[in-house]
Amino acid sequence: MAENSALTSTTGSTSLADSSIFDSKVTETSKENLFIGSTSYVEEEMPQIETRIILVQEAGKQEELIKALKEIKVPFVKMESVEEFKSLDSPEFENVFIVMDFQDSVFNELYKTDCRVIGPPVVLNYAQKGEPLPFSCRPLYCTSMMNLVLCFTGFRKKEELVRLVTLVHHMGGVIRKDFNSKVTHLVANCTQGEKFRIAVSLGTPIMKPEWIYKAWERRNEQDFCASFDEFRNEFKVPPFQDCILSFLGFSDEEKTNMEEMTEMQGGNYLPVGDERCTHLIVEENIVKELPFEPSKKLYVVKQEWFWGSIQMDARAGETMYLYEKANTPELKKSVSLLSLNTPNSNRKRRRLKETLAQLSRETDMSPFPPQTPKSCTKSSKNSTPVPSKQSARWQVARELYQTESNYVNILATIIQLFQVPLEEEGQRGGPILAPEEIKTIFGSIPDIFDVHTKIKDDLEDLIVNWDESKSIGDIFLKYSKDLVKTYPPFVNFFEMSKETIIKCEKQKPRFHAFLKINQAKPECGRQSLVELLIRPVQRLPSVALLLNDLKKHTAEENPDKSTLEKAIGSLKEVMTHINEDKRKTEAQKQIFDVVYEVDGCPANLLSSHRSLVQRVETISLGEHPCDRGEQVTLFLFNDCLEIARKRHKVIGTFRSPHGQTRPPASLKHIHLMPLSQIKKVLDIRETEDCHNAFALLVRPPTEQANVLLSFQMTSEEPPKENWLKMLCRHVANTICKADAENLIYTADPESFEVNTKDMDSTLSRASRAIKKTSKKVTRAFSFSKTPKRALRRALMTSQSSVEGRSPSSNDKHVMSRLSSTSSLAGIPSPSLVSLPSFFERRSHTLSRSTTHLI
């Protein structure tokens, strides 16, 4: 066995010493150190031996290795052959040899002479951590299996086992012959035997031999560890390795699913009755008798063995899941009671009636449940016998209690069968789900359970001590605030909970198996987890209906009449609050989706009062807000407009704090515009050269003139007319105007040089590509990095300083150059220009129309 020990001398140099030699002296000197003057005694009795590294052949040429030895301040020498060792041997040093290859002749000669041999990764690893070199009585090439304890089972060839053990020692691992609690990994060559069963019961990872071979291949990776989950999971023994399964009693869909799972988990499947099968999986609720006599080698097991093996990520023991014929006396008795072949028809009907009545009594819940100690105590002390003819009000109250009790039992089933096992620590095979996934699925179910348990207890007390004057409405008024706190978080995120279950069931076989096992239990009534989780969504409306029914059967003079009306009103408020919160939650989720989709989206877009109204896909018809022909997405919110373009190149992915990977952002942020900046909405008339186009007349606060943005809608929904009316309505709401229609202005495309001709042609796409390249080249060779906006402000400031002076020809020339955004392609843009200067170069007709527009 490998033992690790490291001694550091008082001078700071790293030393190696054999703990077996110095154990007794260390014990003695540790006691002597308690007395003054013991230091000289320790130095005389146990002299420190300095470690010296000998770099053998190619190791002496590794500069990185030499640098690491200098950092840890260990003396070293180089050696080309084993013959040189005699001249280097000295009792003053503990020689440690560094060999590049543990399979060549030099290593074999050093190993035969019991020399200490290590590999370069050991030096590099400990130098990086700043720790002394480890002691090992065996050759140690790397530390990728350090602190791992391995045990082997199922190997018949001694040569293979010796090879595996040697590699484990070379990587710093420890071998145990017998399996015990200290073993960290079992390396198995088969799925049978005592060691295998113990490893499954303890949850110890069971590995294939390939795990060791692949780890040895990565021995030179400095930060590699063989126990990393991502690496180790590739070589775990699958649950159905060496198993050939067949399935009996399942539907075609279930059988197909189970066959696919079998192959995923390392097994094979064959038809029922094939002699090569090792296991027959039986649907015990369907199959009452096997179609053939199974052989002694064939395991006939329930389906729970199949799903349990997948959940544990290891082959479960078959003895606990053996299939037995359902041929009990109880079953025979129930069949005889329901038999229709009895000679006496009257006796047949009477027995059938008694049987059905018995079943009804068993399924019908008593108002005094024997399982609840509290109710038993109360009924024995305080209750009076229930009259044979109860009032209609009592009947409805009893039904309310029964449904509430059933609902609490369902919530308890959800928590006990599903949530608690998923949250347990130390699960076999590791956690089935991540904590954030569990939180998303179950949400506030425990809080809802606590509230309704209290309601059930109060209803039980009322039913046990029934009196017509007792108030049921007070019970629900008492817990109305608790219902408001607990229900909205769950109901609002129920769809997300449902989606998480479906996604995890598809992506995680162990979770799928976990659901199969628990959903088959009688507590679930063969209902899925999603079907159970929808009950809280349905409960409050059901209670409201029962309270309404109770109010109808309550006398006018009964004080509970008005209380019930208040209770019904409080439940309606809770449901209204839930619906309103759900609407807000969905709106906030839509905004988050926009933030994730748009790269560089401003953080101030996230606001509690903001909601997404409409999304419209368009194409820019000018060089602004981006190049002509660019795909632009407009996100209309109730108070602002987010403008984003399609990204030319999408790189990387987004990973949330919970580890969930999101797709990369497909859009790039351009501008977030408050709706108050939109002065007019232009509906561009349809012509041969212009289709489905519109424009926005905008006055940004940083500009001195109006700006025109023009777009072509590419999506059929919504229609342009509806989109423009929707936009104008929200602009009017933002600026507090009632006449939203006055914001729309119909214009000819020629008046504003807007056209959609050849937007999708090859020539147009080539032109856009040339313009982009030209702009990049212009920016690269530009010696002036002054922004155009800053330069425009400077010019305006200089103009305002000279009062009464008319603009010169040079000033006009500069302003005209600034008003255009021409590239090397020389194509002017009418989409985003200073409208006053734009109109100076146009006809008087255009000037009059624009004046009327503004």
PDB file of all heavy atoms in Angstrom, residues 144-145 148 171 207 209-219 221 224-236:
ATOM      1  N   SER A 144      -3.449  11.716 -10.479  1.00  0.00           N
ATOM      2  CA  SER A 144      -4.839  11.811 -10.924  1.00  0.00           C
ATOM      3  C   SER A 144      -5.763  10.858 -10.168  1.00  0.00           C
ATOM      4  O   SER A 144      -6.979  11.010 -10.241  1.00  0.00           O
ATOM      5  CB  SER A 144      -4.929  11.529 -12.426  1.00  0.00           C
ATOM      6  OG  SER A 144      -4.366  10.274 -12.740  1.00  0.00           O
ATOM      7  N   MET A 145      -5.195   9.863  -9.432  1.00  0.00           N
ATOM      8  CA  MET A 145      -6.025   8.994  -8.599  1.00  0.00           C
ATOM      9  C   MET A 145      -5.638   9.076  -7.132  1.00  0.00           C
ATOM     10  O   MET A 145      -5.939   8.164  -6.346  1.00  0.00           O
ATOM     11  CB  MET A 145      -5.930   7.537  -9.076  1.00  0.00           C
ATOM     12  CG  MET A 145      -6.752   7.240 -10.306  1.00  0.00           C
ATOM     13  SD  MET A 145      -6.960   5.466 -10.604  1.00  0.00           S
ATOM     14  CE  MET A 145      -8.111   5.495 -11.980  1.00  0.00           C
ATOM     15  N   LEU A 148      -7.949   8.051  -3.898  1.00  0.00           N
ATOM     16  CA  LEU A 148      -8.983   7.112  -4.325  1.00  0.00           C
ATOM     17  C   LEU A 148      -8.621   5.708  -3.852  1.00  0.00           C
ATOM     18  O   LEU A 148      -7.469   5.295  -3.946  1.00  0.00           O
ATOM     19  CB  LEU A 148      -9.136   7.118  -5.844  1.00  0.00           C
ATOM     20  CG  LEU A 148      -9.516   8.442  -6.512  1.00  0.00           C
ATOM     21  CD1 LEU A 148      -9.775   8.225  -8.000  1.00  0.00           C
ATOM     22  CD2 LEU A 148     -10.730   9.063  -5.853  1.00  0.00           C
ATOM     23  N   MET A 171      -0.778   6.117 -10.653  1.00  0.00           N
ATOM     24  CA  MET A 171      -1.556   7.362 -10.594  1.00  0.00           C
ATOM     25  C   MET A 171      -1.910   7.762  -9.168  1.00  0.00           C
ATOM     26  O   MET A 171      -2.711   8.684  -8.956  1.00  0.00           O
ATOM     27  CB  MET A 171      -2.834   7.215 -11.424  1.00  0.00           C
ATOM     28  CG  MET A 171      -2.567   7.118 -12.922  1.00  0.00           C
ATOM     29  SD  MET A 171      -4.067   7.063 -13.936  1.00  0.00           S
ATOM     30  CE  MET A 171      -4.593   5.365 -13.667  1.00  0.00           C
ATOM     31  N   MET A 207     -17.368   1.058 -11.688  1.00  0.00           N
ATOM     32  CA  MET A 207     -16.709   1.535 -12.897  1.00  0.00           C
ATOM     33  C   MET A 207     -16.283   0.378 -13.799  1.00  0.00           C
ATOM     34  O   MET A 207     -16.030  -0.737 -13.346  1.00  0.00           O
ATOM     35  CB  MET A 207     -15.467   2.362 -12.528  1.00  0.00           C
ATOM     36  CG  MET A 207     -15.711   3.440 -11.471  1.00  0.00           C
ATOM     37  SD  MET A 207     -16.990   4.600 -11.925  1.00  0.00           S
ATOM     38  CE  MET A 207     -16.262   5.310 -13.386  1.00  0.00           C
ATOM     39  N   PRO A 209     -13.407  -1.210 -16.466  1.00  0.00           N
ATOM     40  CA  PRO A 209     -11.941  -1.155 -16.515  1.00  0.00           C
ATOM     41  C   PRO A 209     -11.424  -0.045 -17.431  1.00  0.00           C
ATOM     42  O   PRO A 209     -10.327   0.476 -17.210  1.00  0.00           O
ATOM     43  CB  PRO A 209     -11.555  -2.544 -17.049  1.00  0.00           C
ATOM     44  CG  PRO A 209     -12.726  -3.423 -16.748  1.00  0.00           C
ATOM     45  CD  PRO A 209     -13.924  -2.555 -16.828  1.00  0.00           C
ATOM     46  N   GLU A 210     -12.220   0.327 -18.444  1.00  0.00           N
ATOM     47  CA  GLU A 210     -11.791   1.384 -19.358  1.00  0.00           C
ATOM     48  C   GLU A 210     -11.548   2.701 -18.645  1.00  0.00           C
ATOM     49  O   GLU A 210     -10.797   3.552 -19.123  1.00  0.00           O
ATOM     50  CB  GLU A 210     -12.846   1.583 -20.453  1.00  0.00           C
ATOM     51  CG  GLU A 210     -12.920   0.463 -21.471  1.00  0.00           C
ATOM     52  CD  GLU A 210     -13.703  -0.729 -20.956  1.00  0.00           C
ATOM     53  OE1 GLU A 210     -14.250  -0.655 -19.833  1.00  0.00           O
ATOM     54  OE2 GLU A 210     -13.763  -1.750 -21.676  1.00  0.00           O
ATOM     55  N   TRP A 211     -12.181   2.893 -17.490  1.00  0.00           N
ATOM     56  CA  TRP A 211     -11.985   4.121 -16.714  1.00  0.00           C
ATOM     57  C   TRP A 211     -10.508   4.292 -16.350  1.00  0.00           C
ATOM     58  O   TRP A 211      -9.960   5.394 -16.453  1.00  0.00           O
ATOM     59  CB  TRP A 211     -12.851   4.044 -15.457  1.00  0.00           C
ATOM     60  CG  TRP A 211     -12.664   5.158 -14.477  1.00  0.00           C
ATOM     61  CD1 TRP A 211     -12.782   6.495 -14.719  1.00  0.00           C
ATOM     62  CD2 TRP A 211     -12.337   5.024 -13.085  1.00  0.00           C
ATOM     63  NE1 TRP A 211     -12.557   7.210 -13.579  1.00  0.00           N
ATOM     64  CE2 TRP A 211     -12.277   6.331 -12.552  1.00  0.00           C
ATOM     65  CE3 TRP A 211     -12.096   3.949 -12.254  1.00  0.00           C
ATOM     66  CZ2 TRP A 211     -11.986   6.570 -11.214  1.00  0.00           C
ATOM     67  CZ3 TRP A 211     -11.820   4.178 -10.924  1.00  0.00           C
ATOM     68  CH2 TRP A 211     -11.763   5.469 -10.411  1.00  0.00           C
ATOM     69  N   ILE A 212      -9.860   3.202 -15.944  1.00  0.00           N
ATOM     70  CA  ILE A 212      -8.448   3.270 -15.555  1.00  0.00           C
ATOM     71  C   ILE A 212      -7.566   3.518 -16.771  1.00  0.00           C
ATOM     72  O   ILE A 212      -6.643   4.351 -16.737  1.00  0.00           O
ATOM     73  CB  ILE A 212      -8.037   1.975 -14.826  1.00  0.00           C
ATOM     74  CG1 ILE A 212      -8.862   1.816 -13.540  1.00  0.00           C
ATOM     75  CG2 ILE A 212      -6.537   1.980 -14.506  1.00  0.00           C
ATOM     76  CD1 ILE A 212      -8.628   0.495 -12.822  1.00  0.00           C
ATOM     77  N   TYR A 213      -7.858   2.822 -17.866  1.00  0.00           N
ATOM     78  CA  TYR A 213      -7.044   2.989 -19.077  1.00  0.00           C
ATOM     79  C   TYR A 213      -7.147   4.419 -19.625  1.00  0.00           C
ATOM     80  O   TYR A 213      -6.139   5.025 -20.008  1.00  0.00           O
ATOM     81  CB  TYR A 213      -7.473   1.975 -20.146  1.00  0.00           C
ATOM     82  CG  TYR A 213      -7.153   0.544 -19.806  1.00  0.00           C
ATOM     83  CD1 TYR A 213      -8.135  -0.439 -19.818  1.00  0.00           C
ATOM     84  CD2 TYR A 213      -5.858   0.162 -19.469  1.00  0.00           C
ATOM     85  CE1 TYR A 213      -7.846  -1.768 -19.510  1.00  0.00           C
ATOM     86  CE2 TYR A 213      -5.553  -1.168 -19.167  1.00  0.00           C
ATOM     87  CZ  TYR A 213      -6.543  -2.118 -19.179  1.00  0.00           C
ATOM     88  OH  TYR A 213      -6.235  -3.422 -18.864  1.00  0.00           O
ATOM     89  N   LYS A 214      -8.361   4.959 -19.651  1.00  0.00           N
ATOM     90  CA  LYS A 214      -8.539   6.318 -20.170  1.00  0.00           C
ATOM     91  C   LYS A 214      -7.902   7.356 -19.252  1.00  0.00           C
ATOM     92  O   LYS A 214      -7.381   8.370 -19.716  1.00  0.00           O
ATOM     93  CB  LYS A 214     -10.034   6.616 -20.338  1.00  0.00           C
ATOM     94  CG  LYS A 214     -10.693   5.824 -21.459  1.00  0.00           C
ATOM     95  CD  LYS A 214     -10.123   6.218 -22.816  1.00  0.00           C
ATOM     96  CE  LYS A 214     -10.809   5.450 -23.937  1.00  0.00           C
ATOM     97  NZ  LYS A 214     -10.265   5.801 -25.267  1.00  0.00           N
ATOM     98  N   ALA A 215      -7.956   7.103 -17.950  1.00  0.00           N
ATOM     99  CA  ALA A 215      -7.298   8.021 -17.016  1.00  0.00           C
ATOM    100  C   ALA A 215      -5.782   8.016 -17.221  1.00  0.00           C
ATOM    101  O   ALA A 215      -5.125   9.057 -17.139  1.00  0.00           O
ATOM    102  CB  ALA A 215      -7.644   7.649 -15.574  1.00  0.00           C
ATOM    103  N   TRP A 216      -5.221   6.846 -17.510  1.00  0.00           N
ATOM    104  CA  TRP A 216      -3.778   6.750 -17.752  1.00  0.00           C
ATOM    105  C   TRP A 216      -3.397   7.483 -19.045  1.00  0.00           C
ATOM    106  O   TRP A 216      -2.319   8.072 -19.131  1.00  0.00           O
ATOM    107  CB  TRP A 216      -3.370   5.284 -17.808  1.00  0.00           C
ATOM    108  CG  TRP A 216      -1.907   5.067 -18.086  1.00  0.00           C
ATOM    109  CD1 TRP A 216      -1.346   4.552 -19.208  1.00  0.00           C
ATOM    110  CD2 TRP A 216      -0.821   5.387 -17.212  1.00  0.00           C
ATOM    111  NE1 TRP A 216       0.018   4.518 -19.103  1.00  0.00           N
ATOM    112  CE2 TRP A 216       0.378   5.029 -17.880  1.00  0.00           C
ATOM    113  CE3 TRP A 216      -0.733   5.938 -15.937  1.00  0.00           C
ATOM    114  CZ2 TRP A 216       1.635   5.213 -17.311  1.00  0.00           C
ATOM    115  CZ3 TRP A 216       0.522   6.106 -15.364  1.00  0.00           C
ATOM    116  CH2 TRP A 216       1.688   5.750 -16.053  1.00  0.00           C
ATOM    117  N   GLU A 217      -4.290   7.458 -20.020  1.00  0.00           N
ATOM    118  CA  GLU A 217      -4.012   8.191 -21.259  1.00  0.00           C
ATOM    119  C   GLU A 217      -3.920   9.699 -21.018  1.00  0.00           C
ATOM    120  O   GLU A 217      -3.224  10.402 -21.753  1.00  0.00           O
ATOM    121  CB  GLU A 217      -5.104   7.905 -22.295  1.00  0.00           C
ATOM    122  CG  GLU A 217      -5.073   6.480 -22.849  1.00  0.00           C
ATOM    123  CD  GLU A 217      -6.197   6.244 -23.842  1.00  0.00           C
ATOM    124  OE1 GLU A 217      -6.912   7.224 -24.163  1.00  0.00           O
ATOM    125  OE2 GLU A 217      -6.358   5.093 -24.304  1.00  0.00           O
ATOM    126  N   ARG A 218      -4.583  10.166 -19.987  1.00  0.00           N
ATOM    127  CA  ARG A 218      -4.575  11.610 -19.683  1.00  0.00           C
ATOM    128  C   ARG A 218      -3.632  11.928 -18.514  1.00  0.00           C
ATOM    129  O   ARG A 218      -3.795  12.925 -17.825  1.00  0.00           O
ATOM    130  CB  ARG A 218      -5.993  12.074 -19.353  1.00  0.00           C
ATOM    131  CG  ARG A 218      -6.977  11.849 -20.488  1.00  0.00           C
ATOM    132  CD  ARG A 218      -8.385  12.292 -20.137  1.00  0.00           C
ATOM    133  NE  ARG A 218      -8.455  13.728 -19.859  1.00  0.00           N
ATOM    134  CZ  ARG A 218      -9.596  14.380 -19.623  1.00  0.00           C
ATOM    135  NH1 ARG A 218     -10.747  13.708 -19.643  1.00  0.00           N
ATOM    136  NH2 ARG A 218      -9.594  15.666 -19.372  1.00  0.00           N
ATOM    137  N   ARG A 219      -2.640  11.085 -18.313  1.00  0.00           N
ATOM    138  CA  ARG A 219      -1.754  11.221 -17.151  1.00  0.00           C
ATOM    139  C   ARG A 219      -0.919  12.485 -17.174  1.00  0.00           C
ATOM    140  O   ARG A 219      -0.466  12.959 -16.124  1.00  0.00           O
ATOM    141  CB  ARG A 219      -0.833  10.000 -17.057  1.00  0.00           C
ATOM    142  CG  ARG A 219       0.071   9.788 -18.270  1.00  0.00           C
ATOM    143  CD  ARG A 219       0.806   8.456 -18.195  1.00  0.00           C
ATOM    144  NE  ARG A 219       1.663   8.179 -19.355  1.00  0.00           N
ATOM    145  CZ  ARG A 219       1.239   7.667 -20.488  1.00  0.00           C
ATOM    146  NH1 ARG A 219      -0.048   7.367 -20.634  1.00  0.00           N
ATOM    147  NH2 ARG A 219       2.073   7.447 -21.490  1.00  0.00           N
ATOM    148  N   GLU A 221      -1.918  15.457 -18.168  1.00  0.00           N
ATOM    149  CA  GLU A 221      -2.714  16.669 -17.954  1.00  0.00           C
ATOM    150  C   GLU A 221      -2.594  17.080 -16.492  1.00  0.00           C
ATOM    151  O   GLU A 221      -2.955  16.332 -15.593  1.00  0.00           O
ATOM    152  CB  GLU A 221      -4.170  16.415 -18.334  1.00  0.00           C
ATOM    153  CG  GLU A 221      -4.355  16.091 -19.805  1.00  0.00           C
ATOM    154  CD  GLU A 221      -5.816  15.885 -20.156  1.00  0.00           C
ATOM    155  OE1 GLU A 221      -6.682  16.370 -19.402  1.00  0.00           O
ATOM    156  OE2 GLU A 221      -6.090  15.250 -21.193  1.00  0.00           O
ATOM    157  N   PHE A 224      -5.899  17.334 -14.226  1.00  0.00           N
ATOM    158  CA  PHE A 224      -6.876  16.263 -14.422  1.00  0.00           C
ATOM    159  C   PHE A 224      -6.996  15.398 -13.171  1.00  0.00           C
ATOM    160  O   PHE A 224      -6.007  15.116 -12.493  1.00  0.00           O
ATOM    161  CB  PHE A 224      -6.468  15.392 -15.608  1.00  0.00           C
ATOM    162  CG  PHE A 224      -7.276  14.141 -15.752  1.00  0.00           C
ATOM    163  CD1 PHE A 224      -8.582  14.199 -16.180  1.00  0.00           C
ATOM    164  CD2 PHE A 224      -6.727  12.900 -15.424  1.00  0.00           C
ATOM    165  CE1 PHE A 224      -9.342  13.041 -16.301  1.00  0.00           C
ATOM    166  CE2 PHE A 224      -7.476  11.742 -15.544  1.00  0.00           C
ATOM    167  CZ  PHE A 224      -8.786  11.814 -15.985  1.00  0.00           C
ATOM    168  N   CYS A 225      -8.238  14.993 -12.882  1.00  0.00           N
ATOM    169  CA  CYS A 225      -8.493  14.073 -11.771  1.00  0.00           C
ATOM    170  C   CYS A 225      -9.486  13.024 -12.259  1.00  0.00           C
ATOM    171  O   CYS A 225     -10.519  13.356 -12.865  1.00  0.00           O
ATOM    172  CB  CYS A 225      -9.062  14.808 -10.563  1.00  0.00           C
ATOM    173  SG  CYS A 225      -9.394  13.724  -9.150  1.00  0.00           S
ATOM    174  N   ALA A 226      -9.194  11.765 -12.009  1.00  0.00           N
ATOM    175  CA  ALA A 226     -10.034  10.673 -12.513  1.00  0.00           C
ATOM    176  C   ALA A 226     -11.400  10.632 -11.855  1.00  0.00           C
ATOM    177  O   ALA A 226     -12.310   9.977 -12.376  1.00  0.00           O
ATOM    178  CB  ALA A 226      -9.320   9.335 -12.302  1.00  0.00           C
ATOM    179  N   SER A 227     -11.567  11.310 -10.727  1.00  0.00           N
ATOM    180  CA  SER A 227     -12.855  11.283 -10.028  1.00  0.00           C
ATOM    181  C   SER A 227     -13.770  12.421 -10.441  1.00  0.00           C
ATOM    182  O   SER A 227     -14.861  12.571  -9.870  1.00  0.00           O
ATOM    183  CB  SER A 227     -12.626  11.341  -8.515  1.00  0.00           C
ATOM    184  OG  SER A 227     -11.948  12.534  -8.152  1.00  0.00           O
ATOM    185  N   PHE A 228     -13.382  13.240 -11.399  1.00  0.00           N
ATOM    186  CA  PHE A 228     -14.267  14.289 -11.899  1.00  0.00           C
ATOM    187  C   PHE A 228     -15.540  13.641 -12.443  1.00  0.00           C
ATOM    188  O   PHE A 228     -15.483  12.675 -13.209  1.00  0.00           O
ATOM    189  CB  PHE A 228     -13.596  15.108 -13.002  1.00  0.00           C
ATOM    190  CG  PHE A 228     -12.539  16.050 -12.503  1.00  0.00           C
ATOM    191  CD1 PHE A 228     -11.558  16.533 -13.353  1.00  0.00           C
ATOM    192  CD2 PHE A 228     -12.520  16.465 -11.179  1.00  0.00           C
ATOM    193  CE1 PHE A 228     -10.579  17.403 -12.898  1.00  0.00           C
ATOM    194  CE2 PHE A 228     -11.545  17.336 -10.712  1.00  0.00           C
ATOM    195  CZ  PHE A 228     -10.572  17.799 -11.571  1.00  0.00           C
ATOM    196  N   ASP A 229     -16.689  14.177 -12.051  1.00  0.00           N
ATOM    197  CA  ASP A 229     -17.963  13.568 -12.440  1.00  0.00           C
ATOM    198  C   ASP A 229     -18.116  13.474 -13.951  1.00  0.00           C
ATOM    199  O   ASP A 229     -18.575  12.457 -14.481  1.00  0.00           O
ATOM    200  CB  ASP A 229     -19.129  14.379 -11.859  1.00  0.00           C
ATOM    201  CG  ASP A 229     -19.230  14.224 -10.353  1.00  0.00           C
ATOM    202  OD1 ASP A 229     -18.661  13.250  -9.830  1.00  0.00           O
ATOM    203  OD2 ASP A 229     -19.852  15.076  -9.700  1.00  0.00           O
ATOM    204  N   GLU A 230     -17.751  14.535 -14.651  1.00  0.00           N
ATOM    205  CA  GLU A 230     -17.946  14.545 -16.102  1.00  0.00           C
ATOM    206  C   GLU A 230     -17.146  13.432 -16.777  1.00  0.00           C
ATOM    207  O   GLU A 230     -17.613  12.816 -17.740  1.00  0.00           O
ATOM    208  CB  GLU A 230     -17.531  15.906 -16.661  1.00  0.00           C
ATOM    209  CG  GLU A 230     -17.818  16.089 -18.129  1.00  0.00           C
ATOM    210  CD  GLU A 230     -17.494  17.483 -18.612  1.00  0.00           C
ATOM    211  OE1 GLU A 230     -17.133  18.348 -17.769  1.00  0.00           O
ATOM    212  OE2 GLU A 230     -17.596  17.725 -19.828  1.00  0.00           O
ATOM    213  N   PHE A 231     -15.939  13.165 -16.276  1.00  0.00           N
ATOM    214  CA  PHE A 231     -15.112  12.097 -16.830  1.00  0.00           C
ATOM    215  C   PHE A 231     -15.559  10.730 -16.316  1.00  0.00           C
ATOM    216  O   PHE A 231     -15.704   9.771 -17.081  1.00  0.00           O
ATOM    217  CB  PHE A 231     -13.650  12.340 -16.476  1.00  0.00           C
ATOM    218  CG  PHE A 231     -12.715  11.224 -16.862  1.00  0.00           C
ATOM    219  CD1 PHE A 231     -12.325  11.044 -18.179  1.00  0.00           C
ATOM    220  CD2 PHE A 231     -12.242  10.331 -15.906  1.00  0.00           C
ATOM    221  CE1 PHE A 231     -11.478  10.007 -18.538  1.00  0.00           C
ATOM    222  CE2 PHE A 231     -11.395   9.296 -16.255  1.00  0.00           C
ATOM    223  CZ  PHE A 231     -11.012   9.142 -17.577  1.00  0.00           C
ATOM    224  N   ARG A 232     -15.824  10.642 -15.038  1.00  0.00           N
ATOM    225  CA  ARG A 232     -16.149   9.350 -14.423  1.00  0.00           C
ATOM    226  C   ARG A 232     -17.469   8.783 -14.938  1.00  0.00           C
ATOM    227  O   ARG A 232     -17.597   7.570 -15.144  1.00  0.00           O
ATOM    228  CB  ARG A 232     -16.217   9.519 -12.899  1.00  0.00           C
ATOM    229  CG  ARG A 232     -16.459   8.235 -12.130  1.00  0.00           C
ATOM    230  CD  ARG A 232     -16.573   8.511 -10.648  1.00  0.00           C
ATOM    231  NE  ARG A 232     -17.713   9.370 -10.350  1.00  0.00           N
ATOM    232  CZ  ARG A 232     -18.019   9.801  -9.128  1.00  0.00           C
ATOM    233  NH1 ARG A 232     -17.236   9.472  -8.112  1.00  0.00           N
ATOM    234  NH2 ARG A 232     -19.070  10.557  -8.917  1.00  0.00           N
ATOM    235  N   ASN A 233     -18.465   9.657 -15.171  1.00  0.00           N
ATOM    236  CA  ASN A 233     -19.776   9.174 -15.597  1.00  0.00           C
ATOM    237  C   ASN A 233     -19.741   8.484 -16.952  1.00  0.00           C
ATOM    238  O   ASN A 233     -20.650   7.708 -17.280  1.00  0.00           O
ATOM    239  CB  ASN A 233     -20.773  10.337 -15.625  1.00  0.00           C
ATOM    240  CG  ASN A 233     -21.098  10.846 -14.230  1.00  0.00           C
ATOM    241  OD1 ASN A 233     -20.891  10.149 -13.244  1.00  0.00           O
ATOM    242  ND2 ASN A 233     -21.579  12.073 -14.137  1.00  0.00           N
ATOM    243  N   GLU A 234     -18.709   8.761 -17.757  1.00  0.00           N
ATOM    244  CA  GLU A 234     -18.604   8.103 -19.057  1.00  0.00           C
ATOM    245  C   GLU A 234     -18.308   6.610 -18.923  1.00  0.00           C
ATOM    246  O   GLU A 234     -18.592   5.833 -19.846  1.00  0.00           O
ATOM    247  CB  GLU A 234     -17.497   8.762 -19.890  1.00  0.00           C
ATOM    248  CG  GLU A 234     -17.758  10.224 -20.245  1.00  0.00           C
ATOM    249  CD  GLU A 234     -16.636  10.801 -21.082  1.00  0.00           C
ATOM    250  OE1 GLU A 234     -15.875  10.009 -21.665  1.00  0.00           O
ATOM    251  OE2 GLU A 234     -16.506  12.037 -21.140  1.00  0.00           O
ATOM    252  N   PHE A 235     -17.756   6.208 -17.797  1.00  0.00           N
ATOM    253  CA  PHE A 235     -17.280   4.830 -17.652  1.00  0.00           C
ATOM    254  C   PHE A 235     -17.952   4.078 -16.516  1.00  0.00           C
ATOM    255  O   PHE A 235     -17.466   3.036 -16.083  1.00  0.00           O
ATOM    256  CB  PHE A 235     -15.755   4.840 -17.432  1.00  0.00           C
ATOM    257  CG  PHE A 235     -15.006   5.572 -18.505  1.00  0.00           C
ATOM    258  CD1 PHE A 235     -14.563   6.864 -18.288  1.00  0.00           C
ATOM    259  CD2 PHE A 235     -14.773   4.987 -19.738  1.00  0.00           C
ATOM    260  CE1 PHE A 235     -13.877   7.559 -19.276  1.00  0.00           C
ATOM    261  CE2 PHE A 235     -14.095   5.664 -20.724  1.00  0.00           C
ATOM    262  CZ  PHE A 235     -13.643   6.958 -20.500  1.00  0.00           C
ATOM    263  N   LYS A 236     -19.076   4.593 -16.027  1.00  0.00           N
ATOM    264  CA  LYS A 236     -19.822   3.862 -15.004  1.00  0.00           C
ATOM    265  C   LYS A 236     -20.507   2.655 -15.632  1.00  0.00           C
ATOM    266  O   LYS A 236     -20.963   2.706 -16.774  1.00  0.00           O
ATOM    267  CB  LYS A 236     -20.860   4.773 -14.347  1.00  0.00           C
ATOM    268  CG  LYS A 236     -20.250   5.892 -13.514  1.00  0.00           C
ATOM    269  CD  LYS A 236     -21.301   6.733 -12.844  1.00  0.00           C
ATOM    270  CE  LYS A 236     -21.978   5.991 -11.728  1.00  0.00           C
ATOM    271  NZ  LYS A 236     -22.915   6.852 -10.958  1.00  0.00           N
TER     272      LYS A 236
END
